[in-house]
Structures are given as structure tokens and as C-alpha cells.
Amino acid sequence: GENVEQHPSTLSVQEGDSAVIKCTYSDSASNYFPWYKQELGKGPQLIIDIRSNVGEKKDQRIAVTLNKTAKHFSLHITETQPEDSAVYFCATQYQKVTFGIGTKLQVIP
Amino acid sequence: NAGVTQTPKFQVLKTGQSMTLQCAQDMNHEYMSWYRQDPGMGLRLIHYSVGAGITDQGEIPNGYNVSRSTTEDFPLRLLSAAPSQTSVYFCASRVTSGYNEQFFGPGTRLTVL
């Protein structure tokens, strides 16, 4: 089955700096790559996704890049703010969703 | 819309007890699933359903049963709880299987003593 590796597991940045989270996957047939944000005590929520026919997608301060040849994808958050502090999960999805282990991001004011 | 709802929010069980975690969605989604979240292990799929009357096993189905008699409800049953089932459980739904947004419930924190 699919295997998704995510790193780093924890990340601390100063407010205003950028944060990058990286994931690799094993199944070359995977075509859809969502990213979820989980705030303390809540369920995960989709923040951005990318399909395999696209190399990069942006939504305001967040962006995702995909390299299908290397089987890796990354989340980039620019101009980080304290409210970006959360756990972020990458995933691959078709019928089933396979998640990475999560990255705990702390933005220090 | 209430979205995906889960009850209870917290539950403490003794080893060997049984219980049902409830999940409901009001978005007319065909696809529903159950995950558990443990530190350092991300979210792991327990069972899923692609529509009423259809269920299938996920990555870690042992010790859990599900049924899907209606589109709205997807309960998760623990027949004989074990301490290894202490975890946070999330229910999720999406329109269909495939490339669309998955919506999560708020979770149930279960402790088995």
C-alpha cells in the first residue's frame, strides 16, 4: 500500500519567517495531494490541495509544490503568523487517504 | 449545515466493555470513514464506506466494526475494548471517493483502563 513520509515532525519559526514541510510518497499512481491543518482540540481541515497535472498551486500565503518524478511534494507558508501554529498533515488520496505523521508548527511572536 | 458531528466528545471505558461511537453528516456525502490519531503516527484509517450498505476495511480494522444503514450515519463499534484502543477517533466524510475535500468531525477522545 501507499506510504507517506513527512518531515520535520516539529518546526519552530519566528513570526514573519517562512516555513517548509516536505513529504514523499511511494505509489507512483497517486494523483491527488491534500494538506490539512489541525488546530488544538479540533479535527483536521483542508487548507490546500494539488493534482498531479499541476506543479505548483498558491493561495495567499500558502503554496504547495509537486514533483511527480521524485514523488515528493511540499507545503510552503510565507510571512508566518501566530495563528499558523498548528499540526499540518500531508496526504495522498484516491479512494483511501494515507496521511503523513504530521508536523507541529510553532510560530514564535 | 452542522457538517460532521460526533458523540460523545469524551469516553472512559474499562477493558472488555463495549461501546459505539456515533458519527453523522448532513451534507449528503456518499463516502464516510473512521480514523484514529495517536502521537507520532498521524491518522490511520480504520474502516470506510462508499455508500449506504457498503463498508470496507482500512489499515487497522481489528477490534472495530462498522455498519452503514443510512447515508447520514456511520457508527463505529468497539465490541470488547482494550487499552491499546485508547486514542482520539475522527469521523470524516466527502462527496464521493476520489479527488474531493474530506470534512472531519471534532473527534472523540477514548480512554480504556
Side-chain angles (χ1 to χ4, degrees):
Chain A
E2 174 72 281
N3 182 49
V4 177
E5 296 188 358
Q6 180 174 350
H7 59 94
S9 57
T10 60
L11 180 59
S12 291
V13 300
Q14 293 289 331
E15 181 178 357
D17 287 349
S18 295
V20 180
I21 302 169
K22 298 182 179 181
C23 291
T24 60
Y25 60 98
S26 60
D27 188 350
S28 56
S30 293
N31 280 318
Y32 177 64
F33 308 90
W35 284 88
Y36 288 84
K37 176 182 181 182
Q38 185 180 27
E39 296 177 343
L40 194 62
K42 297 184 179 181
Q45 185 172 11
L46 181 73
I47 55 170
I48 195 167
D49 56 15
I50 190 167
R51 300 193 183 189
S52 61
N53 58 346
V54 175
E56 182 177 3
K57 183 177 179 180
K58 287 183 179 180
D59 183 2
Q60 299 183 335
R61 295 186 298 106
I62 62 173
V64 58
T65 59
L66 171 65
N67 183 328
K68 278 224 79 179
T69 302
K71 291 189 283 187
H72 67 71
F73 57 114
S74 300
L75 178 72
H76 304 253
I77 305 174
T78 59
E79 300 173 19
T80 53
Q81 301 169 3
E83 53 264 37
D84 295 329
S85 296
V87 178
Y88 293 81
F89 292 96
C90 63
T92 64
Q93 176 176 323
Y94 184 58
Q95 189 173 72
K96 300 178 185 179
V97 183
T98 303
F99 288 89
I101 64 168
T103 297
K104 184 176 182 179
L105 174 64
Q106 181 184 20
V107 179
I108 303 166
Chain B
N1 286 354
V4 180
T5 58
Q6 291 183 239
T7 56
K9 287 190 68 67
F10 302 94
Q11 183 70 49
V12 178
L13 292 178
K14 294 181 179 179
T15 297
Q17 286 186 317
S18 62
M19 80 158 296
T20 299
L21 307 186
Q22 301 291 345
C23 174
Q25 52 90 12
D26 61 358
M27 298 175 283
N28 202 32
H29 286 174
E30 291 294 323
Y31 188 101
M32 297 185 74
S33 52
W34 276 101
Y35 298 88
R36 61 178 284 177
Q37 183 175 23
D38 301 292
M41 302 189 76
L43 291 141
R44 292 181 293 167
L45 182 64
I46 304 171
H47 285 285
Y48 67 99
S49 169
V50 299
I54 306 169
T55 63
D56 206 347
Q57 296 181 349
E59 181 184 352
I60 49 167
N62 292 343
Y64 307 95
N65 283 351
V66 293
S67 60
R68 184 94 181 272
S69 56
T70 68
T71 298
E72 294 78 19
D73 301 297
F74 190 44
L76 179 72
R77 297 184 186 85
L78 285 70
L79 298 180
S80 179
S84 60
Q85 294 179 305
T86 293
S87 188
V88 181
Y89 292 84
F90 288 98
C91 179
S93 74
R94 59 190 205 254
V95 174
T96 62
S97 61
Y99 311 147
N100 44 79
E101 181 177 359
Q102 184 157 241
F103 296 85
F104 282 84
T108 294
R109 182 173 293 274
L110 176 68
T111 301
V112 183
L113 302 176

